Amino acid sequence: MDQEKKKYRTGLVCALSCSVLWGVLPVYWQALRPIESSVIIFYRIFLVGVVCFFAALKLFGMEAIKKPLRVKGAKLKYFIAGVLITANWSLYIWAVNADHVIQTCIGYYIEPLMVCVFGILFFKEKLTKHKLAAFLLACTGVVIVLLHFMEVPFIALGLATTFAVYAAIKKSVEVPALLSLLYETMFLSPAALAVVIYLEVTGRGALGVGQPYQYVMLLLVGCVTAVPLGLFAAAANKIPLVTLGILEYISPSISLVIGIFLLKEPFDLIQFLAFAVIWVGLIVFTLGEYRENKNAEIQQ
C-alpha cells in the first residue's frame, strides 16, 4: 500500500510539474522576440529530434529504436503524426508571439472534448450524456466568441483539431512517448536543419536579430519540449487517466492568467462568458468521467 501511495504521489508531482511548465511556456516563447516565429519553429523541430534521439539511445538502445519502424505502415503513420503535431506546435508558437495567448487557451480547453468526439466517430467509443453535454457547451462557448468578434476563432479550432487528429493516430501506436516523438520528428528534422542553415547564412535567422542569451534559450527548445512530455509520460504510468486529464486543465488556466495579467491581452465580459460556458462543460465532462471510472473500478 505504501508503495502504491508513493507511486501515486510521484505521478501527481510529475503531472503538476508538466502542467505548470506547459502553462508558463508563453512567457518563454515571447522572451525570444524579435526572433521570427518561423525561425523558432524550425529550430524546435530539429532540436526536439536531436534531444529525443540521444535520450532514446541512452534509455532504449539503437536496436529498440529501429524495431517499431519495421512494422508495416509505421513510417507513414509516424510521418503524418509528425506533420500534425508540427502544425500544432507551429500554430501555437505563432499565436503566442502574435499576442493571441487567450485564444490558444480556448483551443486547449476544447481539445479534450474534440478528442472525445473523434473517439466516438472513428473508434465507436460510447457517447455518454456528460460527453454530449460537455461538447455542446464547448460549441456554445465558441459560438459566443464567433458572434462577439464576428470571426471564426481559427487559432483555437486549429489547435484543438490538429491535436485531436494527432491523438486519433496515436491511439493505434503502442510505443513509449519518447520513441514516438522521435519518430514523429526524425522525418522532418533534416529538412528543418537545412532551413535553419539557409536562414542563418542569409542573415534571416536567429543570430542576426537575437541577443546571445536568446540564442542560448533557442538552443534549449528541444529540452523545453521533451522535458514536459517526459513528465507527462511518467505521470500517465502512475496515476489514473481521469486524474491526469483533470490536472491538464491547469496548463491553459495558467496561460490564461498570464495572457490577461502579464501580457495584457484584451479580455472583456463576453470573452469571460464564453470561457465560463466552456468551464461548465469541462466540469460536466470531468465529473462524468470520474463517475464512469469509479463505476468501472467497482465492477472489477
Side-chain angles (χ1 to χ4, degrees), residues 19 23 101 128 163 173 176 190 247 253 255:
S19 295
V101 172
T128 57
F163 196 87
V173 174
L247 292 174
S253 300
S255 295

Side-chain angles (χ1 to χ4, degrees), residues 263-278:
L263 305 178
K264 306 297 182 183
E265 290 191 15
F267 189 73
D268 56 30
L269 185 62
I270 303 298
Q271 283 175 293
F272 176 77
L273 177 63
F275 269 97
V277 172
I278 293 170

Side-chain angles (χ1 to χ4, degrees), residues 132-169:
L132 179 60
F135 178 69
L136 291 175
L137 284 164
C139 289
T140 304
V142 172
V143 169
I144 291 170
V145 173
L146 191 153
L147 294 175
H148 179 51
F149 292 105
M150 294 304 292
E151 63 179 32
V152 179
F154 285 112
I155 296 170
L157 294 176
L159 287 171
T161 304
T162 52
F163 196 87
V165 179
Y166 170 75
I169 292 173

Side-chain angles (χ1 to χ4, degrees), residues 18 24 39 47 53 76 108 131 137 141 145 165 174 176 203 210 214 233 241 247 253 258 279 293:
C18 165
V24 300
V39 176
L47 291 171
F53 174 73
L76 178 61
Y108 286 123
K131 285 179 181 176
L137 284 164
V145 173
V165 179
E174 295 183 2
Q214 289 178 310
L241 286 180
L247 292 174
S253 300
I258 288 172
W279 285 328
N293 191 59

Side-chain angles (χ1 to χ4, degrees), residues 18-87:
C18 165
S19 295
V20 170
L21 286 172
W22 274 335
V24 300
L25 271 181
V27 177
Y28 191 92
W29 302 127
Q30 289 214 346
L32 292 172
R33 286 175 170 176
I35 299 171
E36 290 286 338
S37 297
S38 57
V39 176
I40 297 171
I41 289 160
F42 286 116
Y43 267 91
R44 185 178 186 179
I45 294 167
F46 171 66
L47 291 171
V48 167
V50 171
V51 169
C52 288
F53 174 73
F54 284 108
L57 196 62
K58 175 75 173 174
L59 292 172
F60 303 105
M62 184 57 77
E63 185 55 35
I65 291 174
K66 292 179 181 178
K67 188 177 178 182
L69 293 174
R70 297 189 187 117
V71 177
K72 187 178 178 181
K75 291 178 183 177
L76 178 61
K77 191 178 292 184
Y78 288 121
F79 174 75
I80 295 171
V83 170
L84 286 166
I85 197 63
T86 299

Side-chain angles (χ1 to χ4, degrees), residues 33-298:
R33 286 175 170 176
I35 299 171
E36 290 286 338
S37 297
S38 57
V39 176
I40 297 171
I41 289 160
F42 286 116
Y43 267 91
R44 185 178 186 179
I45 294 167
F46 171 66
L47 291 171
V48 167
V50 171
V51 169
C52 288
F53 174 73
F54 284 108
L57 196 62
K58 175 75 173 174
L59 292 172
F60 303 105
M62 184 57 77
E63 185 55 35
I65 291 174
K66 292 179 181 178
K67 188 177 178 182
L69 293 174
R70 297 189 187 117
V71 177
K72 187 178 178 181
K75 291 178 183 177
L76 178 61
K77 191 178 292 184
Y78 288 121
F79 174 75
I80 295 171
V83 170
L84 286 166
I85 197 63
T86 299
N88 187 273
W89 289 347
S90 302
L91 182 58
Y92 172 71
I93 293 172
W94 174 84
V96 167
N97 284 346
D99 298 319
H100 294 300
V101 172
I102 290 175
Q103 198 173 148
T104 67
C105 296
I106 297 176
Y108 286 123
Y109 275 129
I110 64 176
E111 169 215 301
L113 306 179
M114 191 79 79
V115 170
C116 274
V117 170
F118 273 61
I120 292 161
L121 291 176
F122 300 113
F123 297 99
K124 310 300 180 186
E125 293 182 1
K126 186 181 177 183
L127 176 60
T128 57
K129 289 181 181 178
H130 69 267
K131 285 179 181 176
L132 179 60
F135 178 69
L136 291 175
L137 284 164
C139 289
T140 304
V142 172
V143 169
I144 291 170
V145 173
L146 191 153
L147 294 175
H148 179 51
F149 292 105
M150 294 304 292
E151 63 179 32
V152 179
F154 285 112
I155 296 170
L157 294 176
L159 287 171
T161 304
T162 52
F163 196 87
V165 179
Y166 170 75
I169 292 173
K170 294 272 283 185
K171 189 175 175 67
S172 60
V173 174
E174 295 183 2
V175 296
L178 181 63
L179 286 180
S180 182
L181 189 58
L182 169 62
Y183 302 147
E184 290 156 22
T185 52
M186 65 185 290
F187 299 108
L188 302 174
S189 288
L193 176 60
V195 174
V196 165
I197 293 171
Y198 172 77
L199 290 172
E200 297 299 353
V201 168
T202 56
R204 289 181 285 176
L207 290 172
V209 296
Q211 299 297 318
Y213 80 89
Q214 289 178 310
Y215 195 70
V216 173
M217 288 178 67
L218 189 59
L219 292 177
L220 292 173
V221 296
C223 293
V224 167
T225 301
V227 168
L229 182 78
L231 289 168
F232 181 85
N237 291 328
K238 293 177 175 64
I239 61 176
L241 286 180
V242 173
T243 305
L244 185 61
I246 295 167
L247 292 174
E248 284 308 297
Y249 293 129
I250 293 171
S251 172
S253 300
I254 292 173
S255 295
L256 179 62
V257 171
I258 288 172
I260 297 169
F261 296 106
L262 183 62
L263 305 178
K264 306 297 182 183
E265 290 191 15
F267 189 73
D268 56 30
L269 185 62
I270 303 298
Q271 283 175 293
F272 176 77
L273 177 63
F275 269 97
V277 172
I278 293 170
W279 285 328
V280 171
L282 291 175
I283 292 168
V284 171
F285 174 76
T286 301
L287 290 175
E289 289 292 289
Y290 179 78
R291 285 172 185 165
E292 255 191 22
N293 191 59
K294 277 292 181 187
N295 290 336
E297 286 180 359
I298 291 169

